[in-house]
Amino acid sequence: AVDYSLHPASLGSLSGPGTFSGISDDQVAQFWDQGYLAGVPVLSQADCDLLLEDIETFRGGTHPGHGYLYEFHANQTGDPNKVLMHSLGHWRLTKGFHDLMYLLSITKAASKLLKPNQTAGVRFWHDQLFVKPPRTGSVVAWHQDYSYWTRSVPMQHLTVHVALDDQDESNGCIHYIPGSHRWTRNGGGPLPVVDFDFKDPNLFKTILTEEETEQFNPVPIKLRRGEAVFHHPLAVHGSTENKSDRWRRAAVLNYMADGTRSDSDQPLLEGVPAVPRGEVIQGQFFPLVLDVDRTI
């Protein structure tokens, strides 16, 4: 099987949203105030169709490049009535998911949101896919992404959640707690991981302070197919069950500012050669998708 990680640039399979001038200073300010920025157009409808076709080539676990995946869960909850298909590493399996991480509609916005008050070089960390089938789609429990990423330092990361179907409350859209990107422990670190399988939505609340509990007011984010929401690595988010007759499929891209270093001597991702602690994360599996020195 082709390993698309061998191609360190877009192969041109996606067009992006057509006319889109990038994100405004007001949108950047909103991101740092709330911890997220929603409703950013990043894909055309044809792009969404292509990516949905790509998903079907590996969702069943039979793709010839299946071994390239870092994680694959046909159903992460283990409960047939609560289904969450979740994978990491599919950018290596299909041209579409490979090109998604290089798309300028995504990377140019990302370069403005990785670090406060500056433009950063954008390096790819890893991708994810969350598929909730009709009627039985599971929750994704509350969490902060950086809780799972402390093996990469400093914290200068960003998550881009791309809707491949229209998302609303009926089919399990993503929800955020505004301002929760300021919730830290131990001198600026993330809250602890309470659930590696994301399936118990209430566990997270047991680790909150009184003040955080008072501020725990989830906001549902409606997204049109082809729109993304960008969020801070400490923004608390989760999503509800899909009780509708529609699918709810979302492609997630996780980025870090160029220059982020490894804080572990273990492989950062399953099957990827270790980056020794203290060294800059780079190379075939962590490509630079936007170099700010060369792209305006």
Side-chain angles (χ1 to χ4, degrees):
V2 176
D3 180 355
Y4 284 99
S5 72
L6 295 166
H7 297 273
S10 175
L11 298 167
S13 67
L14 302 176
S15 68
T19 55
F20 176 55
S21 56
I23 58 171
S24 67
D25 290 347
D26 283 349
Q27 286 176 301
V28 172
Q30 185 185 332
F31 173 88
W32 291 105
D33 178 55
Q34 299 287 304
Y36 61 91
L37 175 66
V40 179
V42 297
L43 294 175
S44 69
Q45 296 306 297
D47 292 340
C48 293
D49 289 340
L50 176 82
L51 292 168
L52 292 176
E53 287 173 20
D54 278 3
I55 289 172
E56 293 310 307
T57 67
F58 64 83
R59 186 165 67 89
T62 57
H63 191 284
H66 186 79
Y68 297 144
L69 293 173
Y70 310 134
E71 274 188 44
F72 178 82
H73 309 271
N75 180 10
Q76 193 156 12
T77 73
D79 180 342
N81 299 308
K82 295 180 179 177
V83 178
L84 182 70
M85 180 264 165
H86 181 208
S87 63
L88 281 71
H90 40 277
W91 71 281
R92 297 174 62 182
L93 303 193
T94 81
K95 190 184 289 186
F97 278 102
H98 168 273
D99 289 354
L100 178 64
M101 59 194 244
Y102 287 97
L103 211 55
L104 279 172
S105 55
I106 295 173
T107 60
K108 286 177 86 167
S111 72
K112 294 182 170 185
L113 301 176
L114 280 161
K115 293 180 167 187
N117 308 313
Q118 60 181 289
T119 305
V122 184
R123 195 168 284 281
F124 183 65
W125 173 221
H126 68 76
D127 60 355
Q128 290 168 279
L129 180 74
F130 290 98
V131 174
K132 300 183 184 188
R135 291 177 291 283
T136 58
S138 171
V139 303
V140 175
W142 297 108
H143 63 285
Q144 291 176 319
D145 288 339
Y146 192 69
S147 301
Y148 298 85
W149 298 342
T150 52
R151 60 194 184 278
S152 55
V153 295
M155 181 182 73
Q156 46 187 8
H157 298 59
L158 177 74
T159 297
V160 187
H161 173 107
V162 182
L164 300 178
D165 299 293
D166 288 348
Q167 277 190 34
D168 57 38
E169 287 173 90
S170 70
N171 69 341
C173 66
I174 194 165
H175 290 59
Y176 290 95
I177 311 297
S180 57
H181 60 304
R182 300 185 187 91
W183 297 2
T184 60
R185 298 288 185 273
N186 304 318
L191 278 65
V193 171
V194 290
D195 183 2
F196 275 100
D197 286 323
F198 303 124
K199 61 190 180 189
D200 184 342
N202 297 312
L203 270 180
F204 185 79
K205 294 183 186 176
T206 64
I207 60 168
L208 298 182
T209 65
E210 194 173 331
E211 187 181 7
E212 289 163 353
T213 303
E214 284 173 17
Q215 295 170 8
F216 202 91
N217 298 308
V219 175
I221 303 296
K222 285 186 181 175
L223 293 170
R224 301 301 303 265
R225 194 175 117 112
E227 289 182 341
V229 54
F230 292 71
H231 71 246
H232 185 282
L234 295 181
V236 174
H237 60 288
S239 60
T240 47
E241 292 176 316
N242 180 7
K243 296 290 196 186
S244 77
D245 293 331
R246 298 177 292 131
W247 287 82
R248 192 287 220 176
R249 294 162 289 199
V252 174
L253 302 163
N254 301 302
Y255 294 109
M256 53 194 169
D258 188 27
T260 306
R261 295 175 182 272
S262 169
D263 197 34
S264 172
D265 289 319
Q266 300 300 312
L268 296 170
L269 296 165
E270 187 72 33
V272 167
V275 178
R277 176 175 285 156
E279 291 196 8
V280 169
I281 302 170
Q282 57 188 351
Q284 175 182 343
F285 303 106
F286 306 102
L288 190 66
V289 296
L290 188 67
D291 184 345
V292 288
D293 294 331
R294 289 190 293 133
T295 312
I296 301 192

